[in-house]
Amino acid sequence: MLNRNRIVTAAVELIEREGADAVSMRRIAAELGVGVMSLYNHVPSKAALLDAVAEDVLSRIGFADDPSAHWTERVRIQARAFRRIAHHYPRCTMVVVSRQLSSTAGLLPVERALATLREAGFDGQEAVRMLRMFIAYVVGSLLREVGVTPTFAPVRADAVVAEADPALFPVLSELRPHLDSCDHDEEFEFGLELLVQAMAVRAAARAEAQAGREEGGRGGERAGRGGARQ
Amino acid sequence: MLNRNRIVTAAVELIEREGADAVSMRRIAAELGVGVMSLYNHVPSKAALLDAVAEDVLSRIGFADDPSAHWTERVRIQARAFRRIAHHYPRCTMVVVSRQLSSTAGLLPVERALATLREAGFDGQEAVRMLRMFIAYVVGSLLREVGVTPTFAPVRADAVVAEADPALFPVLSELRPHLDSCDHDEEFEFGLELLVQAMAVRAAARAEAQAGREEGGRGGERAGRGGARQ
DNA sequence: AGCGTGTCACGTACGCTGTACGTGCGTCAA
DNA sequence: TTGACGCACGTACAGCGTACGTGACACGCT
């Protein structure tokens, strides 16, 4: 019996196996051993199917949230969880990223992330902005890692850089060894750490201001929750 | 007379006017008042044409690099320059981002950026990583801002959040007003500032270590080039 | 048992796509 | 004059998404 789940799963597998370009309704139908139009009894359109694929992949994010850990560590964990599924479904990741989906699939991660940020001491506005910034970084990184990469992300610009005239691009030529190689794990962790530290600094500044205000109000007590360490 | 440039320009205009999905070789040919196959005398394939489009848009990045400015400000300026063309060609931006192109089109920005970072005191490896992180953030932000939907609905997950059960997603429901509205300019600047500050801190730490090493070597002089201010 | 209704797999068909290939016209070199 | 070449163009084909119709089957009601 054909159903929506079987179709989505087949689509995911097909995308991973042969790339998003290879996906067609006929191809998926063949994969399932059914007629093309049978699919439309369960999926309204190809676009909707791709949305479902994105949603499906997104919903696979694993959560091993450890409430006892420091919030900075929890942020790191969540970012890595996101990255992990992206690496598990690299080609589907492109579908996820390039598709503006509207469903509740990606809502749980958002809820968790916001809760973590509130816990860190940020107010609503700050928490949302931090999250948006974080998502931007993670998504941008994944775009680079997953292979579909704009030139300016000098990952595999090897060939290009090799051709570049050292006179025209002196710095670029000098840094070629670093541009050629790219350890995705290290790169990701580098940026992640920088971001987390920046957030921690912000949180500390916030706590400081808070303490100052309280001090001005009734004196004493230089509090320090939401530490900036590590 | 038909030529590659006219074709690319027509493609860019068509994409901006009607979206990337509306682009077909026939459509472009019609736009130029020529036969379909004439295009193939100047462009090897549709894929190559889209690459050319991406390259063309990318090459339009304006550079008003001010060497006298502090490096942190120069970083900001470069990021904004990137963002500006993305906003000028929003739909083409999706093409740029989702396409792996290999050409020298995006090389000049990279050269400038790396030069700026070297100037800030980072060594080669750090400069490259900072740049990659920055690009990830900018690209991720643009992906969010530019959206993918045919209509430029600034609407994000609003509708979804509205439907979300407050019991299941307490934080999310509480922060709904902040999630609903999204001033892209402010959001971008917020993340940009956080990143720049993080970089500045790193640069300062670097300078400190450097000074410490020199002090240990011959004593005195607590230098401070590459400040962390601002 | 007969019948209406609903679900679902499927075939056909239409308008669209990218592009391989052949053809004919214009211009230039020998 | 002749040959070669560049370039615009038409035709043709395989493949695409999907609107629509058809027929097989399962069901509750009379």
Side-chain angles (χ1 to χ4, degrees):
Chain A
M1 181 65 161
L2 198 54
N3 63 39
R4 186 185 149 102
N5 247 325
R6 291 222 305 141
I7 295 176
V8 172
T9 304
V12 169
E13 286 174 3
L14 185 57
I15 290 176
E16 286 308 324
R17 186 148 31 86
E18 309 195 17
D21 290 343
V23 173
S24 78
M25 297 304 267
R26 288 168 162 83
R27 199 81 176 61
I28 295 173
E31 210 80 13
L32 291 165
V34 301
V36 195
M37 294 315 289
S38 309
L39 302 177
Y40 287 90
N41 287 322
H42 307 272
V43 164
S45 70
K46 186 189 182 183
L49 173 55
L50 290 182
D51 282 342
V53 165
E55 193 176 325
D56 186 68
V57 170
L58 216 52
S59 72
R60 285 178 147 83
I61 297 184
F63 281 108
D65 198 8
D66 179 8
S68 71
H70 191 268
W71 69 266
T72 52
E73 184 57 21
R74 293 174 68 188
V75 166
R76 275 187 278 260
I77 289 172
Q78 292 189 21
R80 291 189 193 117
F82 197 153
R83 182 165 177 261
R84 191 167 304 117
I85 56 142
H87 279 207
H88 204 277
Y89 303 93
R91 307 180 113 147
C92 286
T93 298
M94 283 312 297
V95 177
V96 173
V97 154
S98 67
R99 203 144 263 281
Q100 182 132 13
L101 52 108
S102 54
S103 81
T104 59
L107 238 49
L108 186 56
V110 171
E111 168 73 15
R112 300 289 182 90
L114 285 176
T116 302
L117 291 170
R118 290 309 302 268
E119 206 172 297
F122 297 114
D123 66 24
Q125 167 127 326
E126 277 175 323
V128 169
R129 287 188 168 168
M130 290 285 183
L131 176 60
R132 289 202 172 119
M133 181 202 64
F134 231 81
I135 290 175
Y137 169 69
V138 172
V139 167
S141 296
L142 292 181
L143 259 181
R144 163 161 45 78
E145 295 184 20
V146 148
V148 182
T149 313
T151 308
F152 40 81
V155 181
R156 53 168 57 178
D158 339 324
V160 179
V161 179
E163 292 170 12
D165 185 351
L168 287 175
F169 304 102
V171 183
L172 208 141
S173 301
E174 175 204 346
L175 266 43
R176 198 149 88 76
H178 293 114
L179 286 166
D180 282 356
S181 72
C182 179
D183 182 321
H184 289 305
D185 288 341
E186 282 188 26
E187 296 281 339
F188 184 79
E189 290 294 328
F190 176 84
L192 179 58
E193 209 48 44
L194 213 66
L195 253 56
V196 168
Q197 282 176 14
M199 291 168 67
V201 168
R202 197 74 140 213
R206 236 198 101 75
E208 196 94 0
Q210 185 77 17
R213 224 170 304 129
E214 283 172 11
E215 186 178 12
R218 54 184 167 85
E221 190 194 358
R222 188 151 203 94
R225 84 178 285 268
R229 188 170 27 273
Q230 206 13 301
Chain B
M1 181 65 162
L2 199 56
N3 64 40
R4 187 185 149 103
N5 248 324
R6 292 221 307 141
I7 296 175
V8 172
T9 304
V12 169
E13 287 174 3
L14 185 57
I15 291 176
E16 285 308 324
R17 185 148 30 88
E18 309 196 16
D21 289 343
V23 172
S24 79
M25 297 304 267
R26 286 179 227 273
R27 198 80 177 62
I28 295 172
E31 210 79 13
L32 291 166
V34 301
V36 194
M37 294 315 290
S38 308
L39 302 177
Y40 287 90
N41 286 323
H42 306 273
V43 163
S45 71
K46 186 188 182 182
L49 172 55
L50 289 181
D51 283 342
V53 165
E55 193 176 324
D56 185 67
V57 170
L58 215 53
S59 72
R60 284 176 147 84
I61 297 184
F63 282 109
D65 199 8
D66 178 8
S68 71
H70 191 268
W71 69 265
T72 52
E73 186 55 22
R74 294 174 68 187
V75 165
R76 276 187 278 260
I77 288 172
Q78 291 189 21
R80 292 189 194 118
F82 197 154
R83 183 166 176 261
R84 191 166 304 118
I85 55 141
H87 279 207
H88 203 277
Y89 304 93
R91 308 179 117 148
C92 285
T93 298
M94 285 311 298
V95 176
V96 172
V97 153
S98 66
R99 200 143 267 278
Q100 174 155 10
L101 47 109
S102 54
S103 80
T104 58
L107 237 50
L108 186 56
V110 171
E111 169 73 16
R112 299 289 182 92
L114 287 176
T116 301
L117 290 169
R118 290 308 304 267
E119 207 172 295
F122 297 114
D123 66 24
Q125 166 126 327
E126 277 175 320
V128 169
R129 286 186 169 170
M130 291 285 183
L131 176 60
R132 288 195 173 128
M133 183 203 63
F134 232 82
I135 290 172
Y137 169 69
V138 173
V139 169
S141 296
L142 292 181
L143 217 56
R144 162 162 47 78
E145 294 184 22
V146 153
V148 200
T149 39
T151 58
F152 297 129
V155 204
R156 289 283 305 152
D158 334 330
V160 180
V161 178
E163 292 169 13
D165 186 354
L168 287 174
F169 304 102
V171 184
L172 207 140
S173 301
E174 176 204 344
L175 267 42
R176 198 150 85 75
H178 293 113
L179 286 167
D180 281 356
S181 72
C182 180
D183 183 321
H184 289 306
D185 288 340
E186 281 187 25
E187 296 282 339
F188 184 78
E189 290 295 327
F190 176 85
L192 179 58
E193 209 48 42
L194 213 68
L195 253 55
V196 167
Q197 282 174 15
M199 290 168 68
V201 168
R202 196 74 139 218
R206 237 200 101 76
E208 196 95 358
Q210 186 75 18
R213 225 171 304 128
E214 282 173 8
E215 186 179 12
R218 54 184 168 84
E221 191 194 1
R222 190 150 200 94
R225 82 180 287 268
R229 189 170 33 271
Q230 242 312 356

